[in-house]
Amino acid sequence: MANLGLFSGTKTAKSVNVSFRLPYYTQWGQSLLVCGSEPVLGSWDVKKGLLLSPVHQGEELIWSGSISVPSEFSGEYSYYVVDDKKSVLRWEMGKKRKLVLPKGINGGEHVELHDLWQAGGDAIPFRSAFKDVIFRRSWGLNIERPPGIQNKLDKEVDAVVVHFKICCPNVEEETSVYVIGSTAKLGQWKVQDGLKLNYAGDSVWQADALMQKGDFPIKYPFEGGNFSLETGAHRDLSIDSSKVLPRYIFLSDGMMREMPWRGAGVALPMFSVRSEADLGVGEFLDLKLLVDWAVLSGFHLVQLLPINDTSVHGMWWDSYPYSSLSVFALHPLYLRVEALSENLPETIKKEIQEAREQLDGKDVDYEATLATKLSIAKKVFVQEKDLILNSRSFQKYFSENEQWLKPYAAFCFLRDFFETSDHSQWGRFSCFTEKKVEKLVSKDSLHHDIIRFHYYIQFHLHTQLTEAAEYARKKGVILKGDLPIGVDRNSVDTWVYPNLFRMNTSTGAPPDYFDKNGQNWGFPTYNWEEMSKDNYAWWRARLTQMAKYFTAYRIDHILGFFRIWELPEHAMTGLIGKFRPSIPLSKEELEREGIWDFDRLSLPYIRQEFVQERFGASWTFIVSNFLNYYQKGRYVFKEDCDTEKKIASKLKMLAEKSMLLESEDKIRRDLFDLLKNIVLIRDPEDESKFYPRFNLEDTSSFQDLDDHSKNVLKRLYYDYYFHRQENLWRQNALKTLPALLDSSDMLACGEDLGLIPACVHPVMQELGLIGLRIQRMPSEPDLEFGIPSQYNYMTVCAPSCHDCSTLRAWWEEDEERRCRYFKSVVGSDGIPPSRCVPEIAHFVLRQHVEAPSMWAIFPLQDLLALKEEYTTRPAAEETINDPTNPKHYWRYRVHVTLESLMNDKELISSIKGLVRGSGRSQPSVEETDEQGNQETIVMITGKHQAAKGQEKISFEKQLTGVPRPETYVL
């Protein structure tokens, strides 16, 4: 980089004038600014950057500005949207732009940079899912050296060097990229005479053309080989004849505009996979067979649920995959014990075979399966520990992972020693220090083999998952992981990093599609302020670890990065919460509106008639044990039962003494309802701040208020939940989400279902995040069923997901809804079949696979509904999770093996026909011809036939910030 420390920007005899030009529509009060690495551009201090000026040119708003620099200048820069105080409102995504002036440029000459705003979607082809998997052949092209034209330029007086640059992420070998246009230098619209571009690496193609002043204005598109002209209106280039003629024009034309690339995939939890080789549960090495089936079926993606260790309670509660014991450790459940050694004794082989037969049940037996695997693994460990742990491959793994591996192994030892994961019960080990951990894991300790066993298991899990991940990449299949929003309260992470979590709170979700009463997940909420101090290092480490195995990932409950539903730690249900961060209602604000009686609104409103109505003849028993008389026929809860956890504890004690006249569950629900009969929630950290209770109009506390109070509180309720927080939540997401996206090159998708604030989708579009669309959970408030043909390109569409019933179960569980769907979506006034017959499944799947969404990802259960013989199992048994049950047992197993599915040519043909007919891309399939030779068959996107050696795949140009809309034909 040139040292410009003494350069102030004033012109000198040798200075070069560099001007920036960018089309971008801003809102009122916004401006565009360019900031870069050198002092003349602010040294990455946006406040000192170059503010650009706007001017309308036709339908475009063009922002421009200029600087003077030495002829040897080089540096990096980016564009920013700022307010009138130069505070950043938005910034470009992707890599920093590079500016290197041409060699031989003379002082006093002018250089123009014609750029396009880099939106989040522009970075998608550079994510590992496409770069290393889908487009992997394109990224192996040789870099070409462009021919020089400097000598020609020196001889021309009114000539301009135009540098064309375009990103084409999927260009096959022996395929060329051209720019053609209206001038002779661009072939006058003839491809064979056009300007051939040279490959510059990183999917960028570029070339220089010497243009005369009379050649302008120029209209031009790019051509990507095989005579496939880019879509949309022609690009144009003009010069301002009233100004000094530029000597160089650098065109950064973004992405080549082609038909949007679309793919399909299958979703299945790791534990649900069934193969002939597994031991009671799906295993990492089973993924190779699942990938083979995906390729045959035309799928480019396999999606899993979280696979981290969840061994917190030592029982089936740990089947919940979103409650991590460690966000770095893999789950021993998915270990293939047979692959631990090539020299297993016959006794262990026999034990494995017997266990395989015993555990081959309809569902996963979580406790028995995990115990069996760990028991067998310990026997192999005794035999091979020194061989493995002294190997070069283990030493490499250990050195790369010891920062989390040592605390994890120490935690597991202490958990088993104290018989609890609650580290507050561990005495002097309750507070984590590196010194304590080093002592626990030292080679001199008596329990060192226990520590080493945990190392051994994690090493083999890593090895087996890595093998499966590499296999998927080579087959052109993306392995998509899942990033849980929370961690277990009693986890390695809360032990090692307690300052990153608010342990006196719990996370959950307000009432939505999944649970009308709200959810309480029990995870501690994040301390984002503390996390920001090291630029979210914990999050970045999580993503770096995931990227070792996955090339795409799903961000669970992405709304949590905008705001999280926070509950007090003593809550057991999910209704009485508030959003963090959020702007509360102040005492002064309420008083200005005539609201004064804060105790009346924030304490449970319990009148005697309510108690009598709910509890009948036993109401006096309830009063004497749980309530105190307050005033005017009202009661309050006793201090020993004024929270949900206290009520549950007291009820359990009374039940043990056989003192309850009704069922414990019913009394608990009724008492919880009384406790939640409030209008405002007082902030425990500031008594002058309040939050409106969710669905406050449903409470008798609200219904007994006067009309003025009702109207005021309704207005403030809607303001709190739907208006006043939008800018705050947007700013919060723009602080946290970029740290995740920048920490790996995986393709990021966000689960954006539920109560969606207005700011969420614009931010996701801005950052290039792919959303989720489930037809039965439309984001449009006026629709009962989503319309797949109208989905946005930047989405994943699916007929169901793990958090709801399968397609078959949904169809069969509600007759009235089934009839409405049949009429409004299928378009029939007839009576729909009561069962989800294969024809119905085919119709629904076809709707989704033909949607404009980038991805159509189908749960395997929904795909099996295409064939009658796979629908004999009751549909309800195929549900993975019931969100209304916090203690749901996650144990679903597919009732057919992967080997059987591989041999089912009829099902494969049906699925592949849907994918092929939709025009979605399909992975190449190696087939053997009659002479026994291997050949690669690659499906052409948008065609209905296969062609050898070609695959035409493209991306939609994302238009965030670009002033003129483009038209795309699907």
Side-chain angles (χ1 to χ4, degrees), residues 50-70:
L50 175 66
L51 203 61
L52 305 181
S53 301
V55 61
H56 282 280
Q57 290 186 9
E59 297 181 356
E60 294 184 327
L61 182 64
I62 306 297
W63 292 83
S64 59
S66 62
I67 56 174
S68 293
V69 298

Short mmCIF file of all heavy atoms in Angstrom, two decimals, residues 50-70:
data_model
loop_
_atom_site.label_atom_id
_atom_site.label_comp_id
_atom_site.label_asym_id
_atom_site.label_seq_id
_atom_site.Cartn_x
_atom_site.Cartn_y
_atom_site.Cartn_z
N LEU A 50 -15.25 9.82 2.17
CA LEU A 50 -15.65 10.75 1.11
C LEU A 50 -17.15 10.71 0.91
O LEU A 50 -17.71 9.68 0.51
CB LEU A 50 -14.93 10.41 -0.20
CG LEU A 50 -15.34 11.22 -1.43
CD1 LEU A 50 -14.93 12.68 -1.27
CD2 LEU A 50 -14.73 10.61 -2.69
N LEU A 51 -17.82 11.82 1.19
CA LEU A 51 -19.27 11.91 0.99
C LEU A 51 -19.55 12.15 -0.48
O LEU A 51 -18.97 13.04 -1.11
CB LEU A 51 -19.83 13.06 1.83
CG LEU A 51 -21.32 12.99 2.20
CD1 LEU A 51 -21.61 11.75 3.02
CD2 LEU A 51 -21.71 14.25 2.98
N LEU A 52 -20.43 11.35 -1.07
CA LEU A 52 -20.76 11.44 -2.49
C LEU A 52 -21.97 12.34 -2.70
O LEU A 52 -22.77 12.55 -1.80
CB LEU A 52 -21.02 10.04 -3.06
CG LEU A 52 -19.89 9.02 -2.85
CD1 LEU A 52 -20.27 7.68 -3.48
CD2 LEU A 52 -18.58 9.52 -3.43
N SER A 53 -22.10 12.84 -3.92
CA SER A 53 -23.20 13.74 -4.28
C SER A 53 -24.15 13.04 -5.24
O SER A 53 -23.70 12.33 -6.15
CB SER A 53 -22.66 15.03 -4.91
OG SER A 53 -21.78 15.68 -4.02
N PRO A 54 -25.46 13.25 -5.10
CA PRO A 54 -26.42 12.57 -5.97
C PRO A 54 -26.84 13.45 -7.16
O PRO A 54 -26.88 14.67 -7.07
CB PRO A 54 -27.61 12.34 -5.04
CG PRO A 54 -27.58 13.53 -4.12
CD PRO A 54 -26.14 13.92 -3.96
N VAL A 55 -27.18 12.77 -8.25
CA VAL A 55 -27.76 13.45 -9.41
C VAL A 55 -28.64 12.44 -10.14
O VAL A 55 -28.29 11.26 -10.25
CB VAL A 55 -26.66 14.01 -10.34
CG1 VAL A 55 -25.78 12.89 -10.89
CG2 VAL A 55 -27.28 14.81 -11.48
N HIS A 56 -29.79 12.87 -10.59
CA HIS A 56 -30.70 11.99 -11.33
C HIS A 56 -30.24 11.89 -12.79
O HIS A 56 -29.98 12.90 -13.46
CB HIS A 56 -32.13 12.52 -11.28
CG HIS A 56 -32.82 12.24 -9.98
ND1 HIS A 56 -33.38 11.01 -9.68
CD2 HIS A 56 -33.00 13.02 -8.88
CE1 HIS A 56 -33.90 11.04 -8.47
NE2 HIS A 56 -33.69 12.26 -7.96
N GLN A 57 -30.15 10.68 -13.28
CA GLN A 57 -29.87 10.42 -14.69
C GLN A 57 -30.91 9.44 -15.20
O GLN A 57 -30.82 8.24 -14.94
CB GLN A 57 -28.46 9.86 -14.87
CG GLN A 57 -27.35 10.86 -14.61
CD GLN A 57 -25.97 10.30 -14.95
OE1 GLN A 57 -25.85 9.23 -15.53
NE2 GLN A 57 -24.93 11.05 -14.60
N GLY A 58 -31.90 9.96 -15.89
CA GLY A 58 -33.01 9.12 -16.31
C GLY A 58 -33.76 8.57 -15.11
O GLY A 58 -34.18 9.33 -14.23
N GLU A 59 -33.87 7.24 -15.03
CA GLU A 59 -34.55 6.61 -13.90
C GLU A 59 -33.61 6.31 -12.75
O GLU A 59 -34.03 5.79 -11.72
CB GLU A 59 -35.22 5.31 -14.37
CG GLU A 59 -36.31 5.51 -15.40
CD GLU A 59 -36.95 4.21 -15.82
OE1 GLU A 59 -36.47 3.14 -15.34
OE2 GLU A 59 -37.91 4.23 -16.61
N GLU A 60 -32.33 6.62 -12.90
CA GLU A 60 -31.34 6.27 -11.89
C GLU A 60 -30.96 7.46 -11.03
O GLU A 60 -31.01 8.62 -11.48
CB GLU A 60 -30.08 5.70 -12.54
CG GLU A 60 -30.28 4.38 -13.25
CD GLU A 60 -28.98 3.82 -13.79
OE1 GLU A 60 -28.11 4.62 -14.18
OE2 GLU A 60 -28.83 2.58 -13.81
N LEU A 61 -30.60 7.17 -9.78
CA LEU A 61 -30.01 8.16 -8.90
C LEU A 61 -28.54 7.80 -8.77
O LEU A 61 -28.18 6.76 -8.21
CB LEU A 61 -30.69 8.15 -7.53
CG LEU A 61 -30.17 9.19 -6.52
CD1 LEU A 61 -30.46 10.61 -7.01
CD2 LEU A 61 -30.82 8.99 -5.15
N ILE A 62 -27.67 8.63 -9.32
CA ILE A 62 -26.24 8.35 -9.38
C ILE A 62 -25.52 9.15 -8.31
O ILE A 62 -25.67 10.37 -8.20
CB ILE A 62 -25.65 8.70 -10.76
CG1 ILE A 62 -26.44 8.01 -11.88
CG2 ILE A 62 -24.17 8.34 -10.81
CD1 ILE A 62 -26.39 6.50 -11.84
N TRP A 63 -24.72 8.44 -7.50
CA TRP A 63 -23.90 9.06 -6.47
C TRP A 63 -22.46 9.09 -6.95
O TRP A 63 -21.93 8.07 -7.42
CB TRP A 63 -23.99 8.29 -5.15
CG TRP A 63 -25.35 8.36 -4.53
CD1 TRP A 63 -26.43 7.59 -4.82
CD2 TRP A 63 -25.76 9.28 -3.52
NE1 TRP A 63 -27.50 7.96 -4.05
CE2 TRP A 63 -27.12 8.99 -3.23
CE3 TRP A 63 -25.13 10.30 -2.82
CZ2 TRP A 63 -27.84 9.69 -2.28
CZ3 TRP A 63 -25.85 11.01 -1.86
CH2 TRP A 63 -27.19 10.71 -1.60
N SER A 64 -21.80 10.25 -6.85
CA SER A 64 -20.44 10.36 -7.35
C SER A 64 -19.61 11.30 -6.50
O SER A 64 -20.13 12.14 -5.77
CB SER A 64 -20.44 10.82 -8.82
OG SER A 64 -21.07 12.09 -8.93
N GLY A 65 -18.31 11.17 -6.63
CA GLY A 65 -17.35 12.01 -5.93
C GLY A 65 -15.96 11.66 -6.41
O GLY A 65 -15.76 10.62 -7.06
N SER A 66 -14.98 12.47 -6.10
CA SER A 66 -13.64 12.22 -6.61
C SER A 66 -12.57 12.58 -5.59
O SER A 66 -12.79 13.37 -4.67
CB SER A 66 -13.41 12.99 -7.92
OG SER A 66 -13.50 14.38 -7.68
N ILE A 67 -11.38 11.99 -5.77
CA ILE A 67 -10.21 12.27 -4.95
C ILE A 67 -9.01 12.37 -5.88
O ILE A 67 -9.05 11.89 -7.02
CB ILE A 67 -9.94 11.16 -3.91
CG1 ILE A 67 -9.81 9.80 -4.59
CG2 ILE A 67 -11.03 11.14 -2.85
CD1 ILE A 67 -9.41 8.66 -3.65
N SER A 68 -7.94 13.00 -5.41
CA SER A 68 -6.69 13.06 -6.15
C SER A 68 -5.65 12.23 -5.41
O SER A 68 -5.48 12.38 -4.19
CB SER A 68 -6.21 14.50 -6.29
OG SER A 68 -7.08 15.25 -7.11
N VAL A 69 -4.97 11.35 -6.14
CA VAL A 69 -4.03 10.42 -5.51
C VAL A 69 -2.77 10.34 -6.36
O VAL A 69 -2.77 10.68 -7.55
CB VAL A 69 -4.66 9.02 -5.36
CG1 VAL A 69 -5.88 9.06 -4.48
CG2 VAL A 69 -5.00 8.44 -6.73
N PRO A 70 -1.66 9.85 -5.78
CA PRO A 70 -0.44 9.64 -6.58
C PRO A 70 -0.66 8.55 -7.62
O PRO A 70 -1.53 7.69 -7.48
CB PRO A 70 0.59 9.21 -5.53
CG PRO A 70 0.03 9.57 -4.21
CD PRO A 70 -1.44 9.53 -4.35
#
